[in-house]
Amino acid sequence: MQDFIYEVGTKILFGKNQIDKLPEEILKYGSRVLMVYGGGSIKRTGIYDTVTKLLKDRGIYFKELAGVDPNPRVETAVEGVKIIKEENLDFILAVGGGSTIDCSKLIAASVFLDTDPWKVVIREATPKKALPIGTILTLSATGSEMDQASVITNMTTKQKIGWRSPLVLPKFSFLNPEFTYTVPKKHTAAGVADIMSHTMENYFSVDDSAYLQDRFSEGLLKTCIKYGEIAYNEPDNYEARANLMWANSWAINGLLNTGKTQEWSVHPMEHELSAHNDLTHGWGLAILTPAWLRHCLNDETVDKICDFGRNVFGLADEEDKRALANKAIDKLREFFTSIGIPENLREVGFKEEDLPEIAKACIKNHKGALKGFVTLEEEDVLEIYKASL
C-alpha cells in the first residue's frame, strides 16, 4: 500500500428530517444564492417548493438556473457565471443529481476567472478560488455530492471531459433517500451501474497490497447488487434507497483509492460514447464493463477477477481460474440486464463504423494510453467497443 493523505471536508446531513437545517448551513457561507437544478422534476416532486420556502422564510435571496442537461453542457455553466456576476451572488445550491452538481462546480470555479469555463475543464485555466457550494441530492449515481470531481460536455467539439479541484468540494450535502423515490427505473438502474463502476475502477488493480480497500469495495458492490434490484422494482423502499444513496457517496469520495495509484479505463471510454450521441452515462458504463474485464483477463489479472466472482457473487472455487473469472464477468452482465440495462451498443444506437473514430478520440482526449487494470492503446479501446456491440 502506498502513502496517502485522506480528508473529506463535506458535511453530510442524512435522512428524512434534515432539510429544515438548510438555511442555517447556507448562512455559514453566504446569503445570496444561485439555485441550480435540472429539467423540472424537483417541481413535480415538491422538492422545489420545500427548498424555496425554506429560503424565503429566512430571507435568503436567490436566483435560479434551471435546465441542466443529463450530460451537463459548458454553455449552462457560462450562463450560471453570468447570473452570479450580474446579481452579486455568493453561494451555489445544487438541487439534483450529479449533472446538476457537476455543472455547479464548474460555475463555482469559473466565477473568479475572466475566461471561458471550458478552459477550466481542459486545464488551460486554473482556479485559485471558488464560490462555496452546497447540494441537495435527488439521484444516487455519481457521488459528486462528496468529491472534488466534475464532468462536462462540449457538444460543439464532441468532448466530454472530467476535471477536479479541491476548491469545489461541496461544503455540505443533504441526503434524503425519500427524494429519490420518484427517480424513473431507467435512471435508478443507470445510477446503480455508475456507483458500481466507480467502485470497480478502484477495485480492479494488481499488486497494490490494498486488502482493506478491496474489502470495502466488495461490500459496496454487494450492497448495489442487493438493493439495486429492490429499488428498481420497489421505488419507494426506504431501506434500498438509503443504502444505495450512502454507497453512492463512499464509492468515489477517495476512500477506495487510498494507497492506490491507477488511472480509470471504463469512464474515459464511456465519455467518448456519451459525447458522440448523448448516451446515458450509467448505461454506457454497464455495457462496456464486462467487455473491458474480458479484454483485461490474463495471467496477471485472473486472480483479482476470481476474487470478484467469489467475494461479490458468491461463486465457488474452480480448478480452472479462467473459467471462474469468465463466470464472474457473466454474472455482472446478468445483473445489469436484470435491472433493464441494454446489453450492447447496438441497442443504444451505435454502429460498427462509428467506433474507430470514437476510439481515436478517446486516446486523443485522454492524451495517451489508458493505464488502468491493464494498459489500453487505441486498438485495445476499439476491440472493447466492438466486443460491446
Side-chain angles (χ1 to χ4, degrees), residues 205-244:
S205 59
V206 292
D207 299 328
D208 54 26
S209 303
Y211 181 90
L212 178 61
Q213 293 91 315
D214 286 345
R215 304 296 80 77
F216 285 151
S217 293
E218 290 163 358
L220 286 169
L221 291 168
K222 291 177 73 172
T223 297
C224 289
I225 291 165
K226 174 179 174 65
Y227 287 110
E229 196 162 359
I230 294 173
Y232 183 78
N233 292 306
E234 303 173 30
D236 58 353
N237 186 304
Y238 185 87
E239 180 179 333
R241 293 293 192 181
N243 277 276
L244 290 174

Side-chain angles (χ1 to χ4, degrees), residues 143-353:
S144 197
E145 73 282 354
M146 201 180 179
D147 78 1
Q148 306 172 5
S150 164
V151 180
I152 303 294
T153 298
N154 186 328
M155 295 303 290
T156 301
T157 61
K158 289 192 177 297
Q159 290 176 290
K160 180 178 178 181
I161 297 177
W163 65 282
R164 62 173 50 242
S165 168
L167 298 172
V168 299
L169 181 72
K171 301 297 185 184
F172 61 79
S173 292
F174 284 83
L175 276 59
N176 182 349
E178 292 179 326
F179 287 178
T180 65
Y181 282 178
T182 58
V183 173
K185 282 179 175 287
K186 171 183 176 179
H187 295 298
T188 294
V192 170
D194 202 0
I195 300 167
M196 292 180 68
S197 183
H198 293 158
T199 306
M200 289 185 287
E201 297 270 34
N202 290 312
Y203 176 75
F204 284 110
S205 59
V206 292
D207 299 328
D208 54 26
S209 303
Y211 181 90
L212 178 61
Q213 293 91 315
D214 286 345
R215 304 296 80 77
F216 285 151
S217 293
E218 290 163 358
L220 286 169
L221 291 168
K222 291 177 73 172
T223 297
C224 289
I225 291 165
K226 174 179 174 65
Y227 287 110
E229 196 162 359
I230 294 173
Y232 183 78
N233 292 306
E234 303 173 30
D236 58 353
N237 186 304
Y238 185 87
E239 180 179 333
R241 293 293 192 181
N243 277 276
L244 290 174
M245 183 169 266
W246 199 215
N248 172 59
S249 298
W250 285 99
I252 196 173
N253 67 6
L255 175 72
L256 303 184
N257 66 348
T258 53
K260 296 187 174 192
T261 54
Q262 71 176 83
E263 297 179 13
W264 288 14
S265 300
V266 182
H267 272 71
M269 288 191 290
E270 196 289 321
H271 287 168
E272 295 306 323
L273 297 176
S274 293
H276 184 82
N277 82 343
D278 213 20
L279 172 66
T280 298
H281 178 56
W283 276 14
L285 295 170
I287 291 169
L288 288 176
T289 299
W292 167 70
L293 280 174
R294 213 163 319 259
H295 186 88
C296 292
L297 179 56
N298 58 38
D299 289 343
E300 186 179 19
T301 63
V302 65
D303 287 333
K304 192 56 169 284
I305 301 175
C306 286
D307 282 348
F308 174 67
R310 285 188 294 259
N311 299 338
V312 175
F313 288 105
L315 298 179
D317 271 323
E318 294 192 21
E319 185 174 343
D320 184 343
K321 291 194 291 187
R322 292 282 184 121
L324 174 57
N326 276 298
K327 283 184 179 179
I329 296 168
D330 290 341
K331 291 291 288 186
L332 181 63
R333 164 61 65 215
E334 289 170 11
F335 170 71
F336 287 143
T337 302
S338 75
I339 55 173
I341 295 176
E343 289 191 38
N344 57 63
L345 292 177
R346 291 189 187 278
E347 292 182 51
V348 292
F350 286 89
K351 300 176 182 177
E352 186 167 353
E353 55 264 34

